[in-house]
Amino acid sequence: VVLAAAAPASADSCLQNACARRLTGVVSSGPAAEAHPLARAAVAVYRAGEGAPQLLAQTMANARGEFSAPVPQQAADETRYVVATSGAVAFMTVISAGDPSRLRIDEVTTVASAYAMAQFLTDGRISGKALPLSVAAGMWQALAFMPGS
């Protein structure tokens, strides 16, 4: 699976409107108890939908792999995803409305994202109709948060 962050449609929602939410998280590699941060990873938040994904926010992780970005409030039927890249490494996670605003982005969330979103994933971008994306996001939650993951 190739995860790309190139040339999606831009959405300047946070620049034009008041942002209602701050998305935070950590980008890391390895088992949770022994995870190593991906320092200075580039982090991009996208809104998936029909057509090209919309870029909602971009930021950089700090030396501990932690990041924070203002994003518009998420609609109930909206699916978002986050891509974090550092050199040749690219990780991904999916966000559904109601998910915590603190994210973990690592190998587990990347594999769960690629599996659950396979039919909507083309050239590293997720796109599709809202209802099927929402169903796939539910599958992602079941895979990413399995006991022991």
Side-chain angles (χ1 to χ4, degrees):
V1 172
V2 176
L3 301 177
S10 179
D12 294 326
S13 301
C14 282
L15 299 176
Q16 297 170 359
N17 304 312
C19 290
R21 180 179 186 197
R22 181 158 291 277
L23 194 63
T24 62
V26 64
V27 184
S28 61
S29 180
E34 303 166 11
H36 301 285
L38 259 65
R40 313 281 183 253
V43 179
V45 182
Y46 298 93
R47 175 186 299 129
E50 295 185 60
Q54 292 184 308
L55 178 62
L56 299 177
Q58 287 181 298
T59 191
M60 296 289 287
N62 64 20
R64 294 181 306 274
E66 299 168 333
F67 65 91
S68 178
V71 294
Q73 188 66 32
Q74 188 168 357
D77 65 345
E78 185 179 314
T79 299
R80 296 179 178 179
Y81 65 99
V82 182
V83 176
T85 57
S86 179
V89 176
F91 291 147
M92 171 187 260
T93 195
V94 173
I95 311 169
S96 296
D99 284 351
S101 58
R102 175 106 176 131
L103 304 176
R104 175 185 94 216
I105 306 173
D106 60 15
E107 293 91 349
V108 172
T109 64
T110 301
V111 170
S113 298
Y115 186 83
M117 296 290 170
Q119 65 183 324
F120 307 106
L121 191 58
T122 304
D123 296 327
R125 298 184 187 113
I126 296 173
S127 62
K129 295 183 185 242
L131 181 59
L133 284 171
S134 178
V135 171
M139 179 190 298
W140 171 86
Q141 287 179 328
L143 293 169
F145 296 110
M146 290 178 66
S149 65

